[in-house]
Amino acid sequence: MKQQIIIKSADLFLNLGFKSVTMDDIAHEMGISKKTIYQHFDNKTKLVEAAMLHVFENVACGIDHIRELNVNPIEEIFKIKQFVMEHLKDEKSSPQYQLQKYYPKIYAGLRIKQFEVMQSCVKQNLQRGVELGLYRDSINIEFVSRIYFNGMLALKDQELFPLKKFSMNALMEHYLEYHLRGICSPKGVEFLLSLNQLKPTN
């Protein structure tokens, strides 16, 4: 039952937001009493923490599976982007922004975990790209990987990028173009265009 509560709560939080979803809502959706939830979680904060850790672990596991496919590094970036967007419901409720605002301690802990996963993933992607001649061999991998991570966080800042002006999917597309145009070699840009992911520059 505990795992079922975590899974349902995570789905509701991602779809509707952390603030609007109450313990009553979760109990109603599951057809159980609120008392049953409190048997497993002392309060909503504990449930939010468990739910978001569950989401993080699922996303990290999915990213690992994509990395194991050992596809072209440029393709890998787009596959990971598609997987993450689908898993986070296209971030319709901007969960990371809400998590930071209403549950800052949980957000801070997850941010450390996200950084560790992304550093490993992005650095490996950059190294393979350089070895295959798709990325410029002059890039500073340590610098680019950290800029990439911080840029991803910035996209979820609604004060910088309000959802009324920018959909998360569009932001991700623009950001990947910005990132890849900056690091790709001529060979990499040629491959990028062959994927029809980006428009040729004039």
Side-chain angles (χ1 to χ4, degrees):
M1 176 57 73
K2 182 176 182 178
Q3 190 64 17
Q4 291 174 317
I5 293 170
I6 289 172
I7 292 170
K8 173 53 72 174
S9 299
D11 185 62
L12 291 171
F13 290 145
L14 290 178
N15 277 298
L16 304 174
F18 293 99
K19 187 179 181 182
S20 60
V21 175
T22 66
M23 298 294 252
D24 284 314
D25 293 330
I26 296 166
H28 176 74
E29 283 290 322
M30 296 189 69
I32 60 176
S33 69
K34 192 163 62 170
K35 183 180 177 181
T36 302
I37 299 177
Y38 281 116
Q39 287 175 348
H40 299 283
F41 301 97
D42 293 338
N43 50 55
K44 184 180 174 182
T45 299
K46 293 287 187 183
L47 179 53
V48 168
E49 185 175 23
M52 290 304 94
L53 186 59
H54 168 75
V55 171
F56 168 80
E57 289 172 348
N58 278 353
V59 170
C61 184
I63 290 173
D64 283 342
H65 285 317
I66 293 171
R67 292 170 66 185
E68 288 167 6
L69 297 174
N70 205 36
V71 297
N72 178 296
I74 295 175
E75 283 186 272
E76 181 179 85
I77 286 179
F78 286 104
K79 282 182 180 292
I80 289 174
K81 174 257 181 186
Q82 183 179 2
F83 168 77
V84 171
M85 292 300 291
E86 289 173 356
H87 213 79
L88 297 181
K89 320 291 185 186
D90 291 339
E91 303 223 349
K92 292 185 182 71
S93 64
S94 49
Q96 188 148 319
Y97 177 77
Q98 286 201 12
L99 192 66
Q100 183 178 10
K101 184 174 181 180
Y102 299 112
Y103 300 93
K105 288 185 178 180
I106 297 174
Y107 170 82
L110 278 177
R111 186 178 179 278
I112 292 170
K113 292 178 180 294
Q114 289 171 341
F115 178 72
E116 291 170 352
V117 168
M118 279 193 68
Q119 274 293 93
S120 172
C121 174
V122 175
K123 285 168 73 172
Q124 184 187 62
N125 181 278
L126 292 169
Q127 287 163 353
R128 288 204 304 122
V130 170
E131 289 166 4
L132 293 171
L134 295 168
Y135 302 155
R136 292 182 291 108
D137 58 13
S138 61
I139 64 173
N140 184 311
I141 289 175
E142 194 68 36
F143 172 78
V144 172
S145 65
R146 290 168 185 267
I147 284 291
Y148 186 75
F149 175 75
N150 277 286
M152 282 290 188
L153 290 183
L155 294 184
K156 296 166 185 177
D157 184 338
Q158 286 196 12
E159 292 179 3
L160 283 175
F161 299 105
L163 289 178
K164 290 181 180 179
K165 290 187 177 181
F166 305 94
S167 73
M168 185 52 66
N169 193 63
L171 283 174
M172 288 292 291
E173 291 289 342
H174 293 320
Y175 186 62
L176 290 186
E177 177 171 3
Y178 177 83
H179 172 67
L180 289 167
R181 289 283 190 186
I183 66 172
C184 276
S185 65
K187 178 182 175 182
V189 172
E190 184 178 348
F191 180 79
L192 196 55
L193 294 173
S194 75
L195 293 177
N196 294 318
Q197 295 286 354
L198 303 182
K199 298 177 181 178
T201 54
N202 294 326

